[in-house]
Amino acid sequence: MIAVELSKMFRRPRTWVTIGLLNGLPVLVAVLLALTDLAPRPGEGPPFLSAVLTNGTLYPLAALAIVLPLFLPIAVALIAGDAVAGEAQAGTLRYLLARPAGRTRLLVAKLVSVFAFVLVTVLVVAAVGYLVGQVFFEVQPLGGTALSGTSLTPAQIAGRTVLSIGYVTVSMLGVAAFALFFSTLTDSPLAAMIGALAVLIASSLLFTLDAASSIAPYLPTRYWLAFVDFFRDPILWRDIVRGLALQAVYVAVLLGAAWANFATKDITS
Amino acid sequence: MTAAVIATQGLVKRYGQVRAVDGIDLDVRAGDVYGFLGANGSGKTTTVRMLLGLVLPTSGEVQLLGERMPKAARRVLPRVGALIESPAAYGHLSGRANLTLLDAAGPGGSRRTRRPRVDEVLEQVGLAGVGRRPVKAYSLGMRQRLGLAGALLRRPELLVLDEPTNGLDPQGIHEVRDLLLELHRAGTTVFLSSHLLAEVEQLCSRVGVLDRGRLVLQDDLATLTAPTGATVVETPDPQRVRAALDGRVLSTDGVRAIVRGADPAEVNAALVAAGVPVTGLALQRPSLEEVVLAAAGGSADRVDGTEGRTRR
Ligand SMILES: Nc1ncnc2c1ncn2[C@@H]1O[C@H](COP(=O)(O)OP(=O)(O)O)[C@@H](O)[C@H]1O
Ligand SMILES: [Mg+2]
């Protein structure tokens, strides 16, 4: 069943179109930067972007930071929101369940394929970022600039980039869990995606509001940018750990709710 | 006594205030071609979904192939082929790829035999020649055939088909009918829901009639349309029949008289003796339509808003 869902996910042209489009913005930004040499000043614009002109190996991180606020969550919400509701809308859900695929098995298979999509997407963004960084920017053989001003060796940068990729993936699993949960509630994939995005937009908005400071630590988008802390020397673990724990709680609760709903739901689509 | 293939007891499904299915006791036996007849909105699809464990009953029980549903779904459903309401497939994939994925999505379909089985059912439903064309380029009739192919993929003991001829042209309907009869001869039990009287009359050996959620009739077609105990006399002069067989004539029209008595030979002898010209003789049988209208009319005391048929 998992193999079936993975093959459905990655044989579908839409999956790769989504990933392709997602990479358009970081590539465009790289081209513009390379042509103009006008990097944002440190502390402005997306993280890492100010440093890439002098060190292209940071571009995977810049690319992730560019797509993180909007494009990446949209892509994840699109695919995860489609997982169950898309089958319901197409009418294939009733045939899968009458096959019988088993409701729990189907949900687990959907979950695995959505998580695989998240991982592949983040990896592709990082890989394209790496290539773009190599092509358009100077790659310093020794040392780069960490955010706190201390230098990191290329090996350290590589290791911490991998950690960042993992962290961003976990953040996006939270988005996927919201969209998958909504996907079991409705027969409209569009509604599921918009539901998940609405949650994220509300979260980002509340985060900027002083009046909401008491709930700020529990907002799903609160620690998204904490992967920047991997590049401090030493690594600032506090927000990273909190971010991971928060996403883990969201994922567990939402998947539990998705399962509770889907396992007993009337399939009338 | 043959084994029950589908049995339900007091099956009810309520959607809010609407009782879509209202306490039905289905009894489908091995070897039946069971016609589940009902007007649109009478609850056929809801019943089929409950049989397959897609919709959970508000109350009542379902047994499929002798086991409780939906608990035994994983054991039972691989032995059942289903077409539910309308066919559905992934539009960007070919029919063959769709069948392969569907077969791989559950238990009871051996990977080793998958290719030949897919080939065989595509052949059976008349889609062997479509090749790699994606399903989104199929006509409605082709999709219906593909849906049927999916139902036949594991050579099921029981076929549950919800309006399987929807969207087919007359030629396609004929082919499907032949296919179902052929499968039935090979031992498959068929449960077929339809709103078309003629389809059920031509195909089925047993009939259940659903009227606004209630099973108002369930019997063998042969019993339902059994002789009424009267004889139909065709004659150019029905009034002379009335004169000859005084008191036995139930009704007459321009070319016919209905005479009490289930022995046409005896009726004929009496009429010939009286010199009445007879052009035809037959036992009177009600048509399925008459039976269904009478049964469905009988429950018109319900007032739940759907267009109701009132007894004349
Ligand atoms: N998901 C649903 N929610 C509410 N009412 C429904 C739903 N599905 C069916 N119904 C109602 O149940 C009744 C039976 O519908 P259905 O089983 O589709 O009938 P049929 O297949 O015989 O046309 C109809 O009155 C319909 O409006
Ligand atoms: Mg229907």
Side-chain angles (χ1 to χ4, degrees):
Chain A
M1 190 65 220
I2 288 175
V4 170
E5 286 305 323
L6 284 174
S7 109
K8 262 156 57 176
M9 170 77 75
F10 290 105
R11 272 166 69 186
R12 189 165 182 179
R14 197 189 63 175
T15 303
W16 296 106
V17 171
T18 306
I19 293 178
L21 288 177
L22 183 62
N23 280 287
L25 187 61
V27 172
L28 178 66
V29 169
V31 171
L32 292 175
L33 281 183
L35 287 179
T36 62
D37 260 352
L38 287 173
R41 281 192 299 272
E44 284 181 8
F48 300 104
L49 212 51
S50 58
V52 295
L53 280 182
T54 52
N55 187 353
T57 55
L58 289 175
Y59 203 73
L61 295 160
L64 283 175
I66 287 169
V67 294
L68 187 61
L70 196 59
F71 277 32
L72 193 54
I74 287 179
V76 171
L78 173 74
I79 298 293
D82 188 64
V84 178
E87 302 269 8
Q89 195 178 50
T92 43
L93 183 59
R94 61 178 181 267
Y95 287 103
L96 279 176
L97 293 182
R99 168 58 187 85
R103 296 187 182 209
T104 304
R105 278 166 207 261
L106 181 64
L107 196 63
V108 168
K110 288 290 182 190
L111 182 70
V112 171
S113 73
V114 165
F115 280 15
F117 170 81
V118 171
L119 185 63
V120 168
T121 305
V122 173
L123 286 177
V124 170
V125 169
V128 170
Y130 176 78
L131 288 178
V132 166
Q134 299 286 312
V135 172
F136 288 105
F137 305 109
E138 287 172 43
V139 183
Q140 290 190 339
L142 279 173
T145 323
L147 294 187
S148 55
T150 19
S151 280
L152 296 172
T153 66
Q156 277 177 315
I157 289 182
R160 293 178 186 201
T161 300
V162 169
L163 289 176
S164 302
I165 289 172
Y167 185 83
V168 171
T169 303
V170 171
S171 299
M172 288 303 113
L173 293 187
V175 179
F178 270 107
L180 194 61
F181 170 58
F182 291 138
S183 191
T184 64
L185 290 183
T186 166
D187 291 346
S188 157
L190 191 64
M193 176 180 97
I194 290 175
L197 290 180
V199 168
L200 300 181
I201 291 169
S203 165
S204 313
L205 184 114
L206 290 175
F207 184 42
T208 64
L209 219 60
D210 285 339
S213 60
S214 57
I215 57 168
Y218 310 107
L219 294 172
T221 59
R222 164 66 182 85
Y223 296 107
W224 273 13
L225 282 175
F227 72 96
V228 173
D229 292 346
F230 282 120
F231 291 84
R232 303 191 197 276
D233 209 16
I235 295 175
L236 213 57
W237 286 105
R238 201 192 72 142
D239 280 5
I240 292 172
V241 170
R242 288 187 181 181
L244 292 176
L246 184 65
Q247 295 303 331
V249 171
Y250 270 115
V251 168
V253 169
L254 288 166
L255 293 184
W259 177 80
N261 176 43
F262 188 62
T264 55
K265 178 186 175 170
D266 280 344
I267 307 299
T268 55
S269 62
Chain B
M1 162 95 204
T2 41
V5 170
I6 300 175
T8 71
Q9 289 94 38
L11 194 62
V12 175
K13 182 64 192 184
R14 258 207 335 259
Y15 288 117
Q17 288 301 307
V18 180
R19 280 173 167 263
V21 173
D22 196 1
I24 69 175
D25 304 301
L26 285 176
D27 171 26
V28 180
R29 301 173 202 147
D32 280 351
V33 179
Y34 187 103
F36 193 46
L37 199 54
N40 286 327
S42 57
K44 302 184 295 294
T45 300
T46 304
T47 305
V48 164
R49 285 178 188 269
M50 282 193 282
L51 295 181
L52 298 170
L54 296 174
V55 163
L56 305 177
T58 306
S59 66
E61 281 184 22
V62 176
Q63 279 114 23
L64 214 55
L65 296 169
E67 300 206 59
R68 273 289 291 275
M69 283 293 291
K71 231 171 70 189
R74 208 169 163 73
R75 271 196 310 281
V76 172
L77 290 184
R79 297 155 61 197
V80 178
L83 197 62
I84 311 148
E85 206 152 32
S86 59
Y90 304 108
H92 62 287
L93 298 174
S94 69
R96 178 180 303 276
N98 267 288
L99 292 179
T100 306
L101 280 176
L102 184 64
D103 198 55
S110 146
R111 178 201 291 263
R112 207 166 36 77
T113 61
R114 191 166 294 149
R115 267 192 79 98
R117 280 186 293 122
V118 168
D119 288 339
E120 188 189 318
V121 292
L122 284 174
E123 180 79 36
Q124 255 181 322
V125 300
L127 283 180
V130 293
R132 302 178 55 80
R133 216 187 311 172
V135 170
K136 61 171 177 265
Y138 281 21
S139 69
L140 183 54
M142 290 164 77
R143 283 167 207 241
Q144 194 75 23
R145 286 164 193 262
L146 183 63
L148 207 51
L152 299 178
L153 205 45
R154 279 162 303 283
R155 302 190 184 97
E157 296 158 52
L158 169 65
L159 274 176
V160 177
L161 307 174
D162 189 18
E163 315 244 3
T165 54
N166 260 1
L168 292 178
D169 51 27
Q171 180 62 27
I173 292 176
H174 189 76
E175 284 177 37
V176 167
R177 193 190 308 147
D178 285 352
L179 176 60
L180 292 183
L181 288 176
E182 185 189 314
L183 291 164
H184 173 244
R185 273 195 297 277
T188 311
T189 304
V190 180
F191 178 90
L192 171 118
S193 96
S194 179
H195 64 275
L196 302 173
L197 267 161
E199 184 166 278
V200 168
E201 197 159 22
Q202 285 166 0
L203 212 60
C204 299
S205 57
R206 242 168 102 72
V207 180
V209 177
L210 201 58
D211 180 46
R212 277 155 289 167
R214 291 200 181 159
L215 195 64
V216 291
L217 195 66
Q218 175 171 249
D219 215 331
D220 289 347
L221 183 65
T223 311
L224 292 175
T225 57
T228 55
T231 299
V232 183
V233 179
E234 287 182 22
T235 167
D237 198 350
Q239 287 316 315
R240 288 184 61 191
V241 177
R242 198 179 277 282
L245 298 173
D246 191 29
R248 285 178 65 188
V249 177
L250 301 170
S251 68
T252 57
D253 62 17
V255 291
R256 257 182 302 268
I258 313 292
V259 178
R260 198 174 332 107
D263 183 1
E266 180 267 326
V267 172
N268 191 34
L271 289 175
V272 170
V276 181
V278 174
T279 56
L281 273 169
L283 281 174
Q284 188 193 33
R285 291 173 185 275
S287 72
L288 182 59
E289 182 173 7
E290 287 162 355
V291 174
V292 167
L293 286 181
S299 64
D301 52 344
R302 302 189 54 200
V303 256
D304 46 23
T306 47
E307 29 132 14
R309 210 179 269 120
T310 42
R311 172 171 258 165
R312 271 167 294 162

